Amino acid sequence: DTRFTDAVGNLLEYQLVSGCDSGSTSYDVVFPTIHNGVNLSYVYYGNPSAASASKNISGVTALSPSGGAAGLATEETTPG
């Protein structure tokens, strides 16, 4: 039920790496373009009627956070 989008709402490809339905879940997300500076994205979750869109992205990029090559800082905020 998780979805990732870029700043303008385009869906991003992703792969669930570990921890589904636990206190800590890891994903690898493909950003088609990395800009110097801020790369804004959004994550949506918690819709039990949405089917999983996770796919095997291991051949898409060599910069995989789960592979230790790259990492992204995340911040969770709630509306309001």
mmCIF file of all heavy atoms in Angstrom, residues 38-80:
data_model
loop_
_atom_site.group_PDB
_atom_site.id
_atom_site.type_symbol
_atom_site.label_atom_id
_atom_site.label_comp_id
_atom_site.label_asym_id
_atom_site.label_seq_id
_atom_site.Cartn_x
_atom_site.Cartn_y
_atom_site.Cartn_z
ATOM 1 N N VAL A 38 18.385 19.982 -3.201
ATOM 2 C CA VAL A 38 17.228 19.298 -2.640
ATOM 3 C C VAL A 38 16.534 18.449 -3.698
ATOM 4 O O VAL A 38 16.274 18.909 -4.807
ATOM 5 C CB VAL A 38 16.224 20.320 -2.071
ATOM 6 C CG1 VAL A 38 14.966 19.635 -1.576
ATOM 7 C CG2 VAL A 38 16.863 21.111 -0.944
ATOM 8 N N ASN A 39 16.255 17.194 -3.340
ATOM 9 C CA ASN A 39 15.481 16.290 -4.186
ATOM 10 C C ASN A 39 14.251 15.873 -3.387
ATOM 11 O O ASN A 39 14.296 14.933 -2.606
ATOM 12 C CB ASN A 39 16.314 15.065 -4.581
ATOM 13 C CG ASN A 39 17.436 15.447 -5.503
ATOM 14 O OD1 ASN A 39 17.240 15.564 -6.690
ATOM 15 N ND2 ASN A 39 18.613 15.672 -4.951
ATOM 16 N N LEU A 40 13.175 16.603 -3.567
ATOM 17 C CA LEU A 40 11.962 16.415 -2.782
ATOM 18 C C LEU A 40 11.152 15.234 -3.308
ATOM 19 O O LEU A 40 10.978 15.080 -4.520
ATOM 20 C CB LEU A 40 11.115 17.687 -2.833
ATOM 21 C CG LEU A 40 9.857 17.722 -1.990
ATOM 22 C CD1 LEU A 40 10.202 17.612 -0.509
ATOM 23 C CD2 LEU A 40 9.095 19.004 -2.266
ATOM 24 N N SER A 41 10.675 14.416 -2.392
ATOM 25 C CA SER A 41 9.783 13.323 -2.757
ATOM 26 C C SER A 41 8.781 13.129 -1.627
ATOM 27 O O SER A 41 8.953 13.650 -0.525
ATOM 28 C CB SER A 41 10.561 12.038 -3.014
ATOM 29 O OG SER A 41 11.207 11.618 -1.844
ATOM 30 N N TYR A 42 7.749 12.375 -1.919
ATOM 31 C CA TYR A 42 6.706 12.097 -0.938
ATOM 32 C C TYR A 42 6.462 10.594 -0.866
ATOM 33 O O TYR A 42 6.583 9.900 -1.875
ATOM 34 C CB TYR A 42 5.401 12.799 -1.321
ATOM 35 C CG TYR A 42 5.515 14.292 -1.357
ATOM 36 C CD1 TYR A 42 5.770 14.958 -2.553
ATOM 37 C CD2 TYR A 42 5.388 15.052 -0.199
ATOM 38 C CE1 TYR A 42 5.892 16.341 -2.594
ATOM 39 C CE2 TYR A 42 5.510 16.432 -0.226
ATOM 40 C CZ TYR A 42 5.758 17.069 -1.431
ATOM 41 O OH TYR A 42 5.883 18.426 -1.458
ATOM 42 N N VAL A 43 6.092 10.120 0.309
ATOM 43 C CA VAL A 43 5.710 8.717 0.482
ATOM 44 C C VAL A 43 4.284 8.693 1.032
ATOM 45 O O VAL A 43 3.933 9.467 1.913
ATOM 46 C CB VAL A 43 6.692 7.956 1.410
ATOM 47 C CG1 VAL A 43 6.765 8.567 2.791
ATOM 48 C CG2 VAL A 43 6.326 6.484 1.484
ATOM 49 N N TYR A 44 3.476 7.838 0.449
ATOM 50 C CA TYR A 44 2.094 7.651 0.873
ATOM 51 C C TYR A 44 1.943 6.206 1.339
ATOM 52 O O TYR A 44 2.423 5.283 0.679
ATOM 53 C CB TYR A 44 1.134 7.919 -0.294
ATOM 54 C CG TYR A 44 1.242 9.322 -0.828
ATOM 55 C CD1 TYR A 44 2.127 9.628 -1.857
ATOM 56 C CD2 TYR A 44 0.469 10.343 -0.301
ATOM 57 C CE1 TYR A 44 2.235 10.925 -2.342
ATOM 58 C CE2 TYR A 44 0.569 11.643 -0.775
ATOM 59 C CZ TYR A 44 1.461 11.924 -1.799
ATOM 60 O OH TYR A 44 1.567 13.189 -2.281
ATOM 61 N N TYR A 45 1.267 5.999 2.458
ATOM 62 C CA TYR A 45 1.092 4.650 2.981
ATOM 63 C C TYR A 45 -0.163 4.594 3.838
ATOM 64 O O TYR A 45 -0.749 5.626 4.165
ATOM 65 C CB TYR A 45 2.314 4.211 3.798
ATOM 66 C CG TYR A 45 2.608 5.087 4.994
ATOM 67 C CD1 TYR A 45 2.110 4.766 6.252
ATOM 68 C CD2 TYR A 45 3.370 6.239 4.855
ATOM 69 C CE1 TYR A 45 2.375 5.569 7.342
ATOM 70 C CE2 TYR A 45 3.644 7.047 5.943
ATOM 71 C CZ TYR A 45 3.146 6.701 7.182
ATOM 72 O OH TYR A 45 3.397 7.498 8.263
ATOM 73 N N GLY A 46 -0.581 3.379 4.170
ATOM 74 C CA GLY A 46 -1.716 3.205 5.070
ATOM 75 C C GLY A 46 -3.041 2.978 4.371
ATOM 76 O O GLY A 46 -4.082 3.068 4.999
ATOM 77 N N ASN A 47 -3.034 2.681 3.071
ATOM 78 C CA ASN A 47 -4.266 2.388 2.351
ATOM 79 C C ASN A 47 -4.335 0.875 2.135
ATOM 80 O O ASN A 47 -3.754 0.355 1.188
ATOM 81 C CB ASN A 47 -4.289 3.126 1.023
ATOM 82 C CG ASN A 47 -5.564 2.873 0.238
ATOM 83 O OD1 ASN A 47 -6.380 2.056 0.616
ATOM 84 N ND2 ASN A 47 -5.718 3.582 -0.871
ATOM 85 N N PRO A 48 -5.049 0.150 2.986
ATOM 86 C CA PRO A 48 -5.065 -1.306 2.882
ATOM 87 C C PRO A 48 -5.706 -1.830 1.601
ATOM 88 O O PRO A 48 -5.491 -2.978 1.223
ATOM 89 C CB PRO A 48 -5.846 -1.749 4.120
ATOM 90 C CG PRO A 48 -6.640 -0.568 4.526
ATOM 91 C CD PRO A 48 -5.865 0.642 4.082
ATOM 92 N N SER A 49 -6.473 -1.001 0.895
ATOM 93 C CA SER A 49 -7.093 -1.463 -0.352
ATOM 94 C C SER A 49 -6.172 -1.292 -1.564
ATOM 95 O O SER A 49 -6.482 -1.773 -2.646
ATOM 96 C CB SER A 49 -8.423 -0.738 -0.596
ATOM 97 O OG SER A 49 -8.189 0.641 -0.809
ATOM 98 N N ALA A 50 -5.038 -0.625 -1.386
ATOM 99 C CA ALA A 50 -4.080 -0.444 -2.486
ATOM 100 C C ALA A 50 -3.169 -1.661 -2.573
ATOM 101 O O ALA A 50 -2.588 -2.085 -1.581
ATOM 102 C CB ALA A 50 -3.241 0.812 -2.271
ATOM 103 N N ALA A 51 -3.035 -2.218 -3.774
ATOM 104 C CA ALA A 51 -2.159 -3.370 -3.983
ATOM 105 C C ALA A 51 -0.697 -2.914 -3.955
ATOM 106 O O ALA A 51 -0.385 -1.767 -4.273
ATOM 107 C CB ALA A 51 -2.468 -4.024 -5.318
ATOM 108 N N SER A 52 0.181 -3.811 -3.612
ATOM 109 C CA SER A 52 1.610 -3.495 -3.597
ATOM 110 C C SER A 52 2.090 -3.161 -5.006
ATOM 111 O O SER A 52 1.722 -3.822 -5.975
ATOM 112 C CB SER A 52 2.409 -4.671 -3.059
ATOM 113 O OG SER A 52 3.789 -4.409 -3.175
ATOM 114 N N ALA A 53 2.913 -2.126 -5.113
ATOM 115 C CA ALA A 53 3.514 -1.753 -6.400
ATOM 116 C C ALA A 53 5.025 -1.967 -6.364
ATOM 117 O O ALA A 53 5.735 -1.528 -7.255
ATOM 118 C CB ALA A 53 3.187 -0.293 -6.736
ATOM 119 N N SER A 54 5.510 -2.647 -5.333
ATOM 120 C CA SER A 54 6.937 -2.937 -5.217
ATOM 121 C C SER A 54 7.365 -3.835 -6.363
ATOM 122 O O SER A 54 6.644 -4.748 -6.762
ATOM 123 C CB SER A 54 7.215 -3.637 -3.880
ATOM 124 O OG SER A 54 8.572 -3.982 -3.768
ATOM 125 N N LYS A 55 8.539 -3.544 -6.929
ATOM 126 C CA LYS A 55 9.060 -4.377 -8.016
ATOM 127 C C LYS A 55 10.558 -4.550 -7.849
ATOM 128 O O LYS A 55 11.196 -3.798 -7.113
ATOM 129 C CB LYS A 55 8.736 -3.781 -9.376
ATOM 130 C CG LYS A 55 9.274 -2.362 -9.596
ATOM 131 C CD LYS A 55 9.046 -1.842 -10.993
ATOM 132 C CE LYS A 55 7.594 -1.576 -11.258
ATOM 133 N NZ LYS A 55 7.358 -0.944 -12.560
ATOM 134 N N ASN A 56 11.105 -5.518 -8.532
ATOM 135 C CA ASN A 56 12.541 -5.767 -8.476
ATOM 136 C C ASN A 56 13.252 -4.680 -9.290
ATOM 137 O O ASN A 56 13.133 -4.639 -10.507
ATOM 138 C CB ASN A 56 12.863 -7.141 -9.037
ATOM 139 C CG ASN A 56 14.340 -7.468 -8.937
ATOM 140 O OD1 ASN A 56 15.166 -6.613 -8.639
ATOM 141 N ND2 ASN A 56 14.675 -8.709 -9.192
ATOM 142 N N ILE A 57 13.962 -3.796 -8.603
ATOM 143 C CA ILE A 57 14.669 -2.704 -9.286
ATOM 144 C C ILE A 57 16.179 -2.900 -9.239
ATOM 145 O O ILE A 57 16.938 -1.979 -9.530
ATOM 146 C CB ILE A 57 14.292 -1.328 -8.685
ATOM 147 C CG1 ILE A 57 14.670 -1.254 -7.208
ATOM 148 C CG2 ILE A 57 12.824 -1.023 -8.908
ATOM 149 C CD1 ILE A 57 14.588 0.133 -6.624
ATOM 150 N N SER A 58 16.616 -4.100 -8.909
ATOM 151 C CA SER A 58 18.052 -4.350 -8.740
ATOM 152 C C SER A 58 18.848 -4.046 -10.002
ATOM 153 O O SER A 58 20.019 -3.688 -9.923
ATOM 154 C CB SER A 58 18.303 -5.779 -8.283
ATOM 155 O OG SER A 58 17.820 -6.699 -9.245
ATOM 156 N N GLY A 59 18.253 -4.164 -11.177
ATOM 157 C CA GLY A 59 18.971 -3.874 -12.416
ATOM 158 C C GLY A 59 18.871 -2.433 -12.860
ATOM 159 O O GLY A 59 19.514 -2.031 -13.825
ATOM 160 N N VAL A 60 18.091 -1.612 -12.147
ATOM 161 C CA VAL A 60 17.858 -0.229 -12.561
ATOM 162 C C VAL A 60 19.008 0.676 -12.185
ATOM 163 O O VAL A 60 19.419 1.526 -12.951
ATOM 164 C CB VAL A 60 16.543 0.305 -11.944
ATOM 165 C CG1 VAL A 60 16.353 1.774 -12.263
ATOM 166 C CG2 VAL A 60 15.369 -0.513 -12.444
ATOM 167 N N THR A 61 19.560 0.494 -10.992
ATOM 168 C CA THR A 61 20.577 1.419 -10.508
ATOM 169 C C THR A 61 21.627 0.708 -9.669
ATOM 170 O O THR A 61 21.325 -0.262 -8.994
ATOM 171 C CB THR A 61 19.935 2.553 -9.692
ATOM 172 O OG1 THR A 61 20.967 3.421 -9.230
ATOM 173 C CG2 THR A 61 19.171 2.038 -8.500
ATOM 174 N N ALA A 62 22.820 1.224 -9.703
ATOM 175 C CA ALA A 62 23.895 0.685 -8.871
ATOM 176 C C ALA A 62 23.954 1.413 -7.526
ATOM 177 O O ALA A 62 24.688 1.017 -6.647
ATOM 178 C CB ALA A 62 25.232 0.818 -9.597
ATOM 179 N N LEU A 63 23.215 2.505 -7.387
ATOM 180 C CA LEU A 63 23.229 3.276 -6.143
ATOM 181 C C LEU A 63 22.064 2.840 -5.274
ATOM 182 O O LEU A 63 21.028 3.463 -5.232
ATOM 183 C CB LEU A 63 23.146 4.777 -6.440
ATOM 184 C CG LEU A 63 24.299 5.337 -7.253
ATOM 185 C CD1 LEU A 63 24.055 6.799 -7.577
ATOM 186 C CD2 LEU A 63 25.599 5.179 -6.488
ATOM 187 N N SER A 64 22.235 1.755 -4.591
ATOM 188 C CA SER A 64 21.177 1.169 -3.790
ATOM 189 C C SER A 64 21.456 1.384 -2.314
ATOM 190 O O SER A 64 22.458 0.897 -1.803
ATOM 191 C CB SER A 64 21.095 -0.325 -4.100
ATOM 192 O OG SER A 64 20.276 -0.961 -3.174
ATOM 193 N N PRO A 65 20.564 2.107 -1.589
ATOM 194 C CA PRO A 65 20.787 2.279 -0.158
ATOM 195 C C PRO A 65 20.945 0.952 0.575
ATOM 196 O O PRO A 65 21.759 0.838 1.478
ATOM 197 C CB PRO A 65 19.537 3.022 0.304
ATOM 198 C CG PRO A 65 19.112 3.779 -0.902
ATOM 199 C CD PRO A 65 19.432 2.866 -2.073
ATOM 200 N N SER A 66 20.203 -0.066 0.197
ATOM 201 C CA SER A 66 20.341 -1.342 0.901
ATOM 202 C C SER A 66 21.663 -2.016 0.569
ATOM 203 O O SER A 66 22.128 -2.871 1.308
ATOM 204 C CB SER A 66 19.177 -2.269 0.572
ATOM 205 O OG SER A 66 19.188 -2.603 -0.798
ATOM 206 N N GLY A 67 22.286 -1.610 -0.556
ATOM 207 C CA GLY A 67 23.584 -2.150 -0.919
ATOM 208 C C GLY A 67 24.728 -1.343 -0.342
ATOM 209 O O GLY A 67 25.890 -1.663 -0.531
ATOM 210 N N GLY A 68 24.410 -0.268 0.358
ATOM 211 C CA GLY A 68 25.414 0.513 1.044
ATOM 212 C C GLY A 68 26.071 1.600 0.213
ATOM 213 O O GLY A 68 26.941 2.296 0.688
ATOM 214 N N ALA A 69 25.668 1.782 -1.035
ATOM 215 C CA ALA A 69 26.334 2.758 -1.890
ATOM 216 C C ALA A 69 25.843 4.175 -1.662
ATOM 217 O O ALA A 69 26.615 5.112 -1.713
ATOM 218 C CB ALA A 69 26.150 2.380 -3.358
ATOM 219 N N ALA A 70 24.562 4.348 -1.434
ATOM 220 C CA ALA A 70 24.012 5.691 -1.268
ATOM 221 C C ALA A 70 22.959 5.667 -0.177
ATOM 222 O O ALA A 70 22.342 4.639 0.070
ATOM 223 C CB ALA A 70 23.397 6.173 -2.576
ATOM 224 N N GLY A 71 22.738 6.780 0.452
ATOM 225 C CA GLY A 71 21.719 6.863 1.486
ATOM 226 C C GLY A 71 20.972 8.165 1.390
ATOM 227 O O GLY A 71 21.495 9.154 0.893
ATOM 228 N N LEU A 72 19.735 8.164 1.856
ATOM 229 C CA LEU A 72 18.915 9.364 1.837
ATOM 230 C C LEU A 72 18.403 9.630 3.244
ATOM 231 O O LEU A 72 18.001 8.712 3.944
ATOM 232 C CB LEU A 72 17.713 9.181 0.901
ATOM 233 C CG LEU A 72 18.029 8.897 -0.557
ATOM 234 C CD1 LEU A 72 16.755 8.556 -1.301
ATOM 235 C CD2 LEU A 72 18.710 10.093 -1.187
ATOM 236 N N ALA A 73 18.395 10.879 3.632
ATOM 237 C CA ALA A 73 17.787 11.250 4.893
ATOM 238 C C ALA A 73 16.283 11.367 4.667
ATOM 239 O O ALA A 73 15.842 11.812 3.625
ATOM 240 C CB ALA A 73 18.342 12.585 5.371
ATOM 241 N N THR A 74 15.499 10.946 5.643
ATOM 242 C CA THR A 74 14.055 11.029 5.516
ATOM 243 C C THR A 74 13.487 11.777 6.722
ATOM 244 O O THR A 74 14.064 11.799 7.795
ATOM 245 C CB THR A 74 13.418 9.644 5.447
ATOM 246 O OG1 THR A 74 13.742 8.935 6.634
ATOM 247 C CG2 THR A 74 13.903 8.874 4.234
ATOM 248 N N GLU A 75 12.344 12.364 6.502
ATOM 249 C CA GLU A 75 11.636 13.054 7.577
ATOM 250 C C GLU A 75 10.154 12.791 7.393
ATOM 251 O O GLU A 75 9.613 12.994 6.316
ATOM 252 C CB GLU A 75 11.896 14.561 7.506
ATOM 253 C CG GLU A 75 11.130 15.348 8.530
ATOM 254 C CD GLU A 75 11.369 16.843 8.419
ATOM 255 O OE1 GLU A 75 12.253 17.252 7.667
ATOM 256 O OE2 GLU A 75 10.652 17.588 9.077
ATOM 257 N N GLU A 76 9.507 12.299 8.420
ATOM 258 C CA GLU A 76 8.067 12.029 8.355
ATOM 259 C C GLU A 76 7.328 13.171 8.994
ATOM 260 O O GLU A 76 7.608 13.573 10.117
ATOM 261 C CB GLU A 76 7.745 10.722 9.052
ATOM 262 C CG GLU A 76 6.280 10.362 8.955
ATOM 263 C CD GLU A 76 5.979 9.002 9.549
ATOM 264 O OE1 GLU A 76 6.871 8.171 9.649
ATOM 265 O OE2 GLU A 76 4.808 8.809 9.913
ATOM 266 N N THR A 77 6.362 13.717 8.278
ATOM 267 C CA THR A 77 5.531 14.770 8.817
ATOM 268 C C THR A 77 4.073 14.397 8.606
ATOM 269 O O THR A 77 3.730 13.638 7.710
ATOM 270 C CB THR A 77 5.800 16.130 8.151
ATOM 271 O OG1 THR A 77 5.555 16.005 6.742
ATOM 272 C CG2 THR A 77 7.232 16.577 8.380
ATOM 273 N N THR A 78 3.210 14.941 9.431
ATOM 274 C CA THR A 78 1.778 14.696 9.282
ATOM 275 C C THR A 78 1.093 16.009 8.969
ATOM 276 O O THR A 78 1.576 17.082 9.340
ATOM 277 C CB THR A 78 1.188 14.102 10.583
ATOM 278 O OG1 THR A 78 1.479 14.995 11.655
ATOM 279 C CG2 THR A 78 1.771 12.736 10.882
ATOM 280 N N PRO A 79 -0.030 15.944 8.242
ATOM 281 C CA PRO A 79 -0.742 17.178 7.910
ATOM 282 C C PRO A 79 -1.191 17.909 9.162
ATOM 283 O O PRO A 79 -1.527 17.304 10.164
ATOM 284 C CB PRO A 79 -1.949 16.685 7.113
ATOM 285 C CG PRO A 79 -1.618 15.302 6.684
ATOM 286 C CD PRO A 79 -0.653 14.765 7.695
ATOM 287 N N GLY A 80 -1.218 19.224 9.058
ATOM 288 C CA GLY A 80 -1.769 20.022 10.147
ATOM 289 C C GLY A 80 -0.722 20.654 10.915
ATOM 290 O O GLY A 80 -0.502 21.275 11.750
#
